[in-house]
Amino acid sequence: MTEEAFDVIVVGSCMTDLVSQSPRLPKEGETIHGHNFFIGFGGKGANQCMQAAKLGAKTAMVAKVGNDSFGDSYIQNFKDHGVHTGFVAQTSAAATGVASIIVNDAGQNAIVIVAGANMLLSKVELQDALPAITSAKVLLCQLEIPPQISLRALQMAQENKVTTIFNPAPAIPDLDPDFYRLSDVFCCNESEAELLTGSSVNNVEEARCAGRELLRRGCGTVIITLGAQGCVVLQASESTSKHVPATPVTAVDTTGAGDSFIGALAYYMAHYPTMQLDEVARRAGQVAGVSVQSVGTQSSYPHRRDLAADLF
Ligand code: RIB
Protein backbone atom coordinates (compact mmCIF):
# COMPACT_ATOMS: atom_id res chain seq x y z
CA MET A 1 0.00 0.00 0.00
CA THR A 2 1.10 3.54 -0.61
CA GLU A 3 -0.33 6.89 0.37
CA GLU A 4 1.94 8.66 -2.10
CA ALA A 5 0.62 10.73 -5.00
CA PHE A 6 2.52 10.11 -8.22
CA ASP A 7 3.05 12.44 -11.15
CA VAL A 8 3.25 9.56 -13.61
CA ILE A 9 2.15 5.95 -13.19
CA VAL A 10 2.95 3.38 -15.87
CA VAL A 11 1.07 0.11 -16.29
CA GLY A 12 3.39 -1.70 -18.64
CA SER A 13 6.33 -3.89 -19.52
CA CYS A 14 9.85 -4.60 -18.31
CA MET A 15 12.28 -6.35 -20.68
CA THR A 16 15.93 -7.18 -20.41
CA ASP A 17 17.45 -5.87 -23.63
CA LEU A 18 20.07 -8.16 -25.21
CA VAL A 19 21.70 -5.83 -27.70
CA SER A 20 24.07 -6.72 -30.56
CA GLN A 21 25.63 -3.93 -32.59
CA SER A 22 26.51 -4.89 -36.15
CA PRO A 23 27.32 -3.04 -39.39
CA ARG A 24 23.89 -3.83 -40.81
CA LEU A 25 20.79 -5.87 -40.02
CA PRO A 26 21.09 -9.50 -41.22
CA LYS A 27 18.97 -10.72 -44.13
CA GLU A 28 16.65 -13.73 -43.74
CA GLY A 29 18.73 -16.90 -43.16
CA GLU A 30 21.98 -14.93 -42.91
CA THR A 31 24.62 -14.92 -40.14
CA ILE A 32 26.80 -11.85 -39.82
CA HIS A 33 29.51 -10.70 -37.38
CA GLY A 34 28.57 -8.02 -34.88
CA HIS A 35 31.13 -5.83 -33.12
CA ASN A 36 29.64 -5.30 -29.66
CA PHE A 37 27.14 -6.85 -27.25
CA PHE A 38 25.61 -5.48 -24.07
CA ILE A 39 22.68 -6.11 -21.73
CA GLY A 40 20.44 -3.22 -20.72
CA PHE A 41 17.12 -2.39 -19.13
CA GLY A 42 14.26 -2.00 -21.61
CA GLY A 43 10.60 -2.68 -22.25
CA LYS A 44 8.43 0.15 -23.52
CA GLY A 45 6.59 0.67 -20.25
CA ALA A 46 9.67 0.78 -18.06
CA ASN A 47 11.54 2.92 -20.60
CA GLN A 48 8.79 5.53 -20.56
CA CYS A 49 8.63 5.45 -16.77
CA MET A 50 12.40 5.82 -16.48
CA GLN A 51 12.53 8.81 -18.83
CA ALA A 52 9.83 10.57 -16.81
CA ALA A 53 11.74 9.75 -13.59
CA LYS A 54 15.03 11.03 -15.00
CA LEU A 55 13.37 14.36 -15.76
CA GLY A 56 12.20 14.62 -12.16
CA ALA A 57 8.71 13.08 -12.13
CA LYS A 58 7.55 11.11 -9.09
CA THR A 59 6.86 7.78 -10.75
CA ALA A 60 5.43 4.33 -10.05
CA MET A 61 5.46 1.21 -12.17
CA VAL A 62 2.75 -1.49 -12.26
CA ALA A 63 4.43 -4.52 -13.84
CA LYS A 64 5.46 -8.15 -13.52
CA VAL A 65 8.94 -9.66 -13.82
CA GLY A 66 10.22 -13.19 -13.31
CA ASN A 67 11.54 -14.60 -10.08
CA ASP A 68 15.01 -14.70 -11.64
CA SER A 69 18.20 -12.67 -11.71
CA PHE A 70 16.94 -10.43 -14.55
CA GLY A 71 13.82 -9.68 -12.51
CA ASP A 72 15.83 -8.96 -9.34
CA SER A 73 18.15 -6.60 -11.24
CA TYR A 74 15.20 -4.88 -12.83
CA ILE A 75 13.58 -4.07 -9.51
CA GLN A 76 16.91 -2.79 -8.21
CA ASN A 77 17.23 -0.61 -11.34
CA PHE A 78 13.87 1.01 -10.58
CA LYS A 79 14.89 1.60 -6.96
CA ASP A 80 18.20 3.12 -8.05
CA HIS A 81 16.24 5.68 -10.08
CA GLY A 82 13.60 6.45 -7.46
CA VAL A 83 10.74 4.62 -9.24
CA HIS A 84 8.17 3.21 -6.77
CA THR A 85 8.26 -0.61 -6.99
CA GLY A 86 5.41 -1.50 -4.63
CA PHE A 87 3.33 -2.66 -7.62
CA VAL A 88 6.06 -4.62 -9.41
CA ALA A 89 5.29 -8.30 -8.83
CA GLN A 90 7.59 -11.29 -9.34
CA THR A 91 6.43 -14.68 -10.61
CA SER A 92 8.02 -18.11 -10.88
CA ALA A 93 5.56 -19.06 -13.65
CA ALA A 94 7.47 -17.24 -16.41
CA ALA A 95 10.85 -15.63 -17.00
CA THR A 96 11.43 -11.88 -17.06
CA GLY A 97 10.65 -10.53 -20.53
CA VAL A 98 13.56 -10.24 -22.94
CA ALA A 99 14.14 -8.27 -26.12
CA SER A 100 16.72 -9.40 -28.67
CA ILE A 101 17.85 -6.21 -30.39
CA ILE A 102 20.15 -5.65 -33.34
CA VAL A 103 21.38 -2.11 -33.95
CA ASN A 104 23.15 -1.26 -37.22
CA ASP A 105 25.81 1.38 -37.83
CA ALA A 106 23.13 3.83 -38.97
CA GLY A 107 21.50 3.57 -35.53
CA GLN A 108 18.46 1.65 -36.84
CA ASN A 109 17.22 -1.45 -35.06
CA ALA A 110 15.20 -4.65 -35.31
CA ILE A 111 13.66 -6.13 -32.16
CA VAL A 112 12.06 -9.44 -31.17
CA ILE A 113 10.44 -9.54 -27.73
CA VAL A 114 9.51 -12.57 -25.66
CA ALA A 115 7.25 -10.88 -23.14
CA GLY A 116 7.27 -13.75 -20.57
CA ALA A 117 6.21 -12.54 -17.11
CA ASN A 118 4.76 -9.33 -18.60
CA MET A 119 1.88 -11.38 -20.02
CA LEU A 120 0.97 -12.61 -16.51
CA LEU A 121 0.21 -9.17 -15.08
CA SER A 122 -3.29 -9.73 -13.72
CA LYS A 123 -6.46 -7.74 -13.06
CA VAL A 124 -6.03 -8.40 -9.33
CA GLU A 125 -2.55 -6.87 -9.36
CA LEU A 126 -3.86 -3.91 -11.33
CA GLN A 127 -6.72 -3.46 -8.85
CA ASP A 128 -4.18 -3.38 -6.00
CA ALA A 129 -2.69 -0.30 -7.65
CA LEU A 130 -6.05 1.53 -7.86
CA PRO A 131 -5.30 4.02 -5.03
CA ALA A 132 -2.03 4.98 -6.72
CA ILE A 133 -3.67 5.23 -10.16
CA THR A 134 -6.49 7.45 -8.89
CA SER A 135 -4.06 9.87 -7.23
CA ALA A 136 -1.67 10.12 -10.22
CA LYS A 137 -1.61 13.05 -12.63
CA VAL A 138 -0.86 10.98 -15.74
CA LEU A 139 -1.23 7.27 -16.55
CA LEU A 140 0.72 5.65 -19.39
CA CYS A 141 0.01 2.30 -21.10
CA GLN A 142 1.36 0.37 -24.08
CA LEU A 143 0.78 -3.11 -25.58
CA GLU A 144 3.58 -5.31 -24.23
CA ILE A 145 1.28 -6.65 -21.49
CA PRO A 146 -2.16 -8.28 -22.01
CA PRO A 147 -4.21 -5.66 -23.93
CA GLN A 148 -7.21 -6.13 -21.60
CA ILE A 149 -5.02 -5.04 -18.66
CA SER A 150 -3.96 -1.88 -20.49
CA LEU A 151 -7.60 -1.23 -21.40
CA ARG A 152 -8.75 -1.68 -17.80
CA ALA A 153 -5.97 0.61 -16.54
CA LEU A 154 -7.06 3.32 -18.97
CA GLN A 155 -10.68 2.89 -17.80
CA MET A 156 -9.64 3.18 -14.15
CA ALA A 157 -7.73 6.36 -14.93
CA GLN A 158 -10.51 7.92 -17.00
CA GLU A 159 -13.13 7.15 -14.34
CA ASN A 160 -10.95 9.05 -11.87
CA LYS A 161 -10.13 12.00 -14.16
CA VAL A 162 -6.47 11.02 -14.47
CA THR A 163 -4.96 12.10 -17.82
CA THR A 164 -4.30 9.07 -20.03
CA ILE A 165 -1.55 8.59 -22.61
CA PHE A 166 -1.77 5.42 -24.68
CA ASN A 167 1.05 4.20 -26.90
CA PRO A 168 -0.28 1.37 -29.13
CA ALA A 169 3.10 -0.39 -29.40
CA PRO A 170 3.80 -2.93 -30.65
CA ALA A 171 0.75 -2.20 -32.84
CA ILE A 172 -1.96 -4.81 -33.39
CA PRO A 173 -4.30 -4.51 -36.38
CA ASP A 174 -7.49 -5.42 -34.48
CA LEU A 175 -7.09 -2.89 -31.67
CA ASP A 176 -10.17 -2.78 -29.42
CA PRO A 177 -12.00 0.45 -30.39
CA ASP A 178 -12.35 1.37 -26.70
CA PHE A 179 -8.62 2.21 -26.66
CA TYR A 180 -9.31 5.29 -28.80
CA ARG A 181 -12.01 6.82 -26.62
CA LEU A 182 -10.02 6.07 -23.46
CA SER A 183 -6.95 7.95 -24.75
CA ASP A 184 -6.59 11.62 -23.85
CA VAL A 185 -3.39 11.39 -25.87
CA PHE A 186 -2.91 8.60 -28.40
CA CYS A 187 0.76 8.61 -29.38
CA CYS A 188 2.22 6.31 -32.02
CA ASN A 189 4.97 6.26 -34.63
CA GLU A 190 4.55 6.19 -38.39
CA SER A 191 4.54 2.38 -38.76
CA GLU A 192 1.99 1.97 -35.96
CA ALA A 193 -0.20 4.66 -37.55
CA GLU A 194 0.03 2.80 -40.88
CA LEU A 195 -0.98 -0.51 -39.36
CA LEU A 196 -3.91 1.01 -37.49
CA THR A 197 -5.28 3.11 -40.35
CA GLY A 198 -4.25 1.02 -43.38
CA SER A 199 -2.83 4.16 -45.04
CA SER A 200 0.84 4.82 -45.71
CA VAL A 201 2.54 7.31 -43.38
CA ASN A 202 5.85 8.49 -44.82
CA ASN A 203 5.63 12.25 -44.48
CA VAL A 204 3.93 15.05 -42.60
CA GLU A 205 0.92 15.27 -44.92
CA GLU A 206 0.22 11.52 -44.71
CA ALA A 207 0.65 11.69 -40.93
CA ARG A 208 -1.96 14.47 -40.78
CA CYS A 209 -4.41 12.25 -42.73
CA ALA A 210 -3.78 9.23 -40.51
CA GLY A 211 -4.07 11.44 -37.44
CA ARG A 212 -7.47 12.73 -38.55
CA GLU A 213 -8.67 9.13 -38.95
CA LEU A 214 -7.44 8.24 -35.43
CA LEU A 215 -9.14 11.35 -34.03
CA ARG A 216 -12.41 10.25 -35.67
CA ARG A 217 -12.16 7.02 -33.66
CA GLY A 218 -12.50 9.01 -30.43
CA CYS A 219 -9.04 10.07 -29.13
CA GLY A 220 -8.74 13.47 -27.45
CA THR A 221 -5.37 14.20 -29.05
CA VAL A 222 -3.28 12.25 -31.56
CA ILE A 223 0.49 12.60 -31.81
CA ILE A 224 2.26 10.74 -34.62
CA THR A 225 6.05 10.71 -34.34
CA LEU A 226 8.05 10.77 -37.55
CA GLY A 227 11.67 10.31 -36.43
CA ALA A 228 13.89 12.97 -37.98
CA GLN A 229 10.79 14.71 -39.40
CA GLY A 230 9.51 15.50 -35.89
CA CYS A 231 5.84 14.84 -35.16
CA VAL A 232 2.31 16.01 -35.89
CA VAL A 233 -0.16 16.96 -33.17
CA LEU A 234 -3.92 16.89 -33.79
CA GLN A 235 -6.52 17.80 -31.17
CA ALA A 236 -10.21 16.98 -31.27
CA SER A 237 -10.92 20.44 -29.84
CA GLU A 238 -9.16 22.21 -32.75
CA SER A 239 -9.70 21.86 -36.48
CA THR A 240 -6.00 22.37 -37.31
CA SER A 241 -3.05 19.99 -37.02
CA LYS A 242 0.42 21.18 -36.08
CA HIS A 243 3.72 19.91 -37.42
CA VAL A 244 6.48 20.10 -34.81
CA PRO A 245 9.86 19.76 -36.58
CA ALA A 246 12.79 17.95 -34.92
CA THR A 247 16.22 19.50 -34.41
CA PRO A 248 18.68 17.62 -36.68
CA VAL A 249 21.10 15.36 -34.74
CA THR A 250 23.50 12.54 -35.61
CA ALA A 251 21.82 9.35 -34.41
CA VAL A 252 23.97 6.48 -33.17
CA ASP A 253 21.15 4.38 -31.67
CA THR A 254 17.44 5.14 -32.06
CA THR A 255 16.30 2.21 -29.85
CA GLY A 256 13.75 3.46 -27.35
CA ALA A 257 13.69 7.03 -28.74
CA GLY A 258 9.90 6.84 -29.01
CA ASP A 259 9.73 5.77 -25.36
CA SER A 260 11.96 8.68 -24.36
CA PHE A 261 9.55 11.00 -26.21
CA ILE A 262 6.49 9.54 -24.49
CA GLY A 263 8.09 9.49 -21.03
CA ALA A 264 9.01 13.15 -21.52
CA LEU A 265 5.49 13.91 -22.77
CA ALA A 266 4.09 12.44 -19.54
CA TYR A 267 6.56 14.43 -17.45
CA TYR A 268 5.64 17.73 -19.13
CA MET A 269 1.89 17.05 -19.03
CA ALA A 270 2.11 16.26 -15.31
CA HIS A 271 4.23 19.32 -14.46
CA TYR A 272 2.82 21.89 -16.91
CA PRO A 273 -0.84 20.88 -17.32
CA THR A 274 -1.77 24.11 -19.10
CA MET A 275 1.10 24.06 -21.61
CA GLN A 276 0.05 23.89 -25.29
CA LEU A 277 0.47 20.35 -26.60
CA ASP A 278 2.64 21.37 -29.54
CA GLU A 279 5.07 22.97 -27.08
CA VAL A 280 4.93 19.83 -24.91
CA ALA A 281 5.72 17.78 -28.03
CA ARG A 282 8.55 20.15 -29.03
CA ARG A 283 10.21 19.75 -25.64
CA ALA A 284 9.67 15.97 -25.61
CA GLY A 285 11.28 15.86 -29.06
CA GLN A 286 14.34 17.68 -27.72
CA VAL A 287 14.65 15.09 -24.92
CA ALA A 288 14.32 12.16 -27.35
CA GLY A 289 16.82 13.87 -29.67
CA VAL A 290 19.43 13.66 -26.91
CA SER A 291 18.65 9.97 -26.33
CA VAL A 292 19.52 8.93 -29.90
CA GLN A 293 22.98 10.40 -29.64
CA SER A 294 24.30 7.65 -27.38
CA VAL A 295 24.05 3.88 -27.32
CA GLY A 296 21.47 1.90 -25.33
CA THR A 297 17.89 2.44 -24.31
CA GLN A 298 17.38 3.70 -20.76
CA SER A 299 21.12 4.29 -20.42
CA SER A 300 20.87 6.92 -23.20
CA TYR A 301 18.01 8.86 -21.60
CA PRO A 302 19.01 12.29 -20.33
CA HIS A 303 18.46 13.50 -16.78
CA ARG A 304 17.09 16.97 -16.22
CA ARG A 305 20.63 18.13 -15.34
CA ASP A 306 21.86 17.13 -18.84
CA LEU A 307 19.33 19.35 -20.61
CA ALA A 308 19.06 23.05 -21.41
CA ALA A 309 17.39 25.08 -18.65
CA ASP A 310 14.82 26.49 -21.09
CA LEU A 311 13.25 23.04 -21.40
CA PHE A 312 11.96 23.45 -17.82
O1 RIB B 1 10.91 0.65 -27.62
C1 RIB B 1 12.13 0.02 -27.36
C2 RIB B 1 11.92 -1.18 -26.51
O2 RIB B 1 11.14 -2.11 -27.23
C3 RIB B 1 13.17 -1.92 -26.11
O3 RIB B 1 13.72 -1.47 -24.92
C4 RIB B 1 12.69 -3.36 -26.05
O4 RIB B 1 12.75 -3.89 -24.78
C5 RIB B 1 11.29 -3.38 -26.64
O5 RIB B 1 10.33 -3.44 -25.65
Side-chain angles (χ1 to χ4, degrees):
M1 279 300 270
T2 176
E3 300 299 313
E4 293 174 82
F6 297 101
D7 298 319
V8 176
I9 189 160
V10 180
V11 178
S13 57
C14 303
M15 307 276 177
T16 302
D17 285 354
L18 309 172
V19 187
S20 300
Q21 292 176 276
S22 61
R24 59 181 175 81
L25 306 181
K27 298 191 189 114
E28 194 177 313
E30 188 188 26
T31 301
I32 59 173
H33 277 277
H35 47 71
N36 191 32
F37 172 80
F38 61 93
I39 299 179
F41 295 105
K44 296 179 195 304
N47 291 348
Q48 294 169 18
C49 188
M50 198 62 78
Q51 181 61 88
K54 283 187 165 192
L55 294 176
K58 199 166 161 49
T59 54
M61 189 76 201
V62 182
K64 190 168 256 185
V65 295
N67 205 349
D68 48 31
S69 60
F70 283 164
D72 295 343
S73 313
Y74 218 118
I75 292 173
Q76 191 56 49
N77 176 52
F78 281 139
K79 289 183 175 161
D80 292 345
H81 288 88
V83 175
H84 181 85
T85 57
F87 309 110
V88 181
Q90 281 189 283
T91 177
S92 299
T96 298
V98 288
S100 300
I101 304 179
I102 303 170
V103 180
N104 69 13
D105 283 349
Q108 297 157 326
N109 61 68
I111 305 179
V112 174
I113 60 167
V114 179
N118 290 294
M119 298 314 280
L120 300 182
L121 185 62
S122 70
K123 282 204 168 140
V124 172
E125 285 148 349
L126 178 62
Q127 193 62 29
D128 288 344
L130 180 64
I133 290 174
T134 57
S135 67
K137 293 182 181 148
V138 174
L139 172 129
L140 272 174
C141 285
Q142 318 72 26
L143 289 174
E144 288 183 335
I145 59 171
Q148 69 272 20
I149 299 294
S150 296
L151 198 63
R152 179 68 197 125
L154 291 166
Q155 271 163 355
M156 286 159 75
Q158 196 183 63
E159 282 162 15
N160 289 284
K161 301 194 173 13
V162 176
T163 301
T164 58
I165 304 178
F166 176 56
N167 169 222
I172 44 177
D174 53 348
L175 188 67
D176 187 320
D178 283 346
F179 275 108
Y180 299 104
R181 62 165 191 82
L182 290 170
S183 301
D184 291 321
V185 177
F186 188 96
C187 183
C188 60
N189 66 20
E190 55 275 67
S191 67
E192 291 147 5
E194 271 188 22
L195 196 118
L196 292 168
T197 62
S199 312
S200 64
V201 181
N202 296 309
N203 54 45
V204 171
E205 219 24 70
E206 289 178 348
R208 288 187 207 273
C209 279
R212 281 193 283 271
E213 169 57 25
L214 296 171
L215 268 189
R216 270 193 290 276
R217 298 181 188 177
C219 315
T221 293
V222 173
I223 300 179
I224 301 182
T225 58
L226 298 163
Q229 295 181 79
C231 68
V232 294
V233 180
L234 300 94
Q235 289 179 267
S237 54
E238 294 178 9
S239 53
T240 54
S241 59
K242 291 183 181 136
H243 172 223
V244 180
T247 305
V249 294
T250 303
V252 299
D253 184 356
T254 59
T255 314
D259 299 330
S260 168
F261 180 91
I262 293 167
L265 205 65
Y267 164 81
Y268 285 118
M269 289 180 69
H271 284 76
Y272 307 94
T274 58
M275 188 182 280
Q276 292 288 308
L277 272 175
D278 55 324
E279 176 60 12
V280 168
R282 187 190 70 78
R283 294 187 190 200
Q286 296 283 316
V287 175
V290 173
S291 81
V292 302
Q293 295 177 64
S294 50
V295 168
T297 308
Q298 290 175 23
S299 55
S300 72
Y301 292 176
H303 287 90
R304 179 179 176 141
R305 63 176 176 267
D306 305 319
L307 295 160
D310 63 5
L311 287 176
F312 297 93

